[in-house]
Amino acid sequence: MKKNNIILIGFMGTGKSSVGTCLANTLSMKFMDTDNEIEKRSQMTISEMFKSKGEEVFRLMETNLLREYQETLNQTVLSTGGGMPLRAENVSLLREIGFVIFLKTSKEVTYQRLKNDTTRPLLQCEDPLGAIEQMLKIRVPIYEACADMVLETKDRSIDRIVQEII
Ligand code: S3P
């Protein structure tokens, strides 16, 4: 498969789906989102899946999707769940499938965006800010190592971010 796809990685709430949708429209490419695809195929929300099947089953579905996309994905902007690059196999697959862009956002901005969110099971805890901080510490180096390009989203609009990527 030719590497003609663009993949967005990064922490929850960085705008991967919004940026991805706008980027795909601007470049006349298709748009896909791994979380949406998993929800569609399993007929349940990510929260329900974490609760009834456990995180490991979700992670396995993520890897299986990438194995499939390695064969099939074409001219597509792919937005991925924030934990996608945590498995080493996924990192290799992502890099084979497309040009990988890490959308990077600060802990504070992430917290402001997600503090009232109820759809992210990993943040349904006593101390979401602490959880974000802990996860970012572990994940940012992984995102950076996986990416072909790192883009600080700062307080830029979706359109500005898309223009920068292009
Ligand atoms: C996760 C991020 C979520 C979703 C799941 C786990 C993570 O996706 O895949 O809740 O481990 O960071 P978003 O990054 O789209 O919120």
Side-chain angles (χ1 to χ4, degrees), residues 12 16 35 46 50 58-59 81-83 120-122 139:
M12 296 170 260
K16 290 165 290 183
D35 283 342
I46 306 284
F50 269 62
F58 172 74
R59 298 297 175 199
R120 268 81 169 198
L122 296 178
R139 290 180 176 196

Side-chain angles (χ1 to χ4, degrees), residues 5-44:
N5 305 294
I6 298 173
I7 302 177
L8 301 178
I9 64 167
F11 201 72
M12 296 170 260
T14 47
K16 290 165 290 183
S17 301
S18 326
V19 170
T21 307
C22 182
L23 183 62
N25 281 336
T26 310
L27 295 177
S28 301
M29 292 171 76
K30 284 171 274 183
F31 173 73
M32 307 242 339
D33 177 305
T34 58
D35 283 342
N36 288 350
E37 197 56 28
I38 288 173
E39 289 188 330
K40 208 168 14 165
R41 292 182 186 199
S42 64
Q43 302 271 302
M44 61 177 92

Side-chain angles (χ1 to χ4, degrees), residues 29-101:
M29 292 171 76
K30 284 171 274 183
F31 173 73
M32 307 242 339
D33 177 305
T34 58
D35 283 342
N36 288 350
E37 197 56 28
I38 288 173
E39 289 188 330
K40 208 168 14 165
R41 292 182 186 199
S42 64
Q43 302 271 302
M44 61 177 92
T45 65
I46 306 284
S47 293
E48 286 165 350
M49 176 169 298
F50 269 62
K51 220 176 278 169
S52 67
K53 302 212 186 275
E55 182 175 347
E56 261 317 292
V57 170
F58 172 74
R59 298 297 175 199
L60 191 62
M61 285 191 79
E62 286 191 313
T63 301
N64 283 338
L65 257 192
L66 292 188
R67 288 181 185 146
E68 180 185 317
Y69 288 162
Q70 189 189 20
E71 305 295 326
T72 59
L73 213 69
N74 192 28
Q75 285 279 9
T76 301
V77 177
L78 180 69
S79 167
T80 59
M84 187 64 96
L86 297 181
R87 284 187 166 199
E89 180 186 351
N90 294 2
V91 172
S92 321
L93 285 166
L94 290 166
R95 295 187 53 81
E96 277 173 40
I97 295 168
F99 184 79
V100 181
I101 301 172

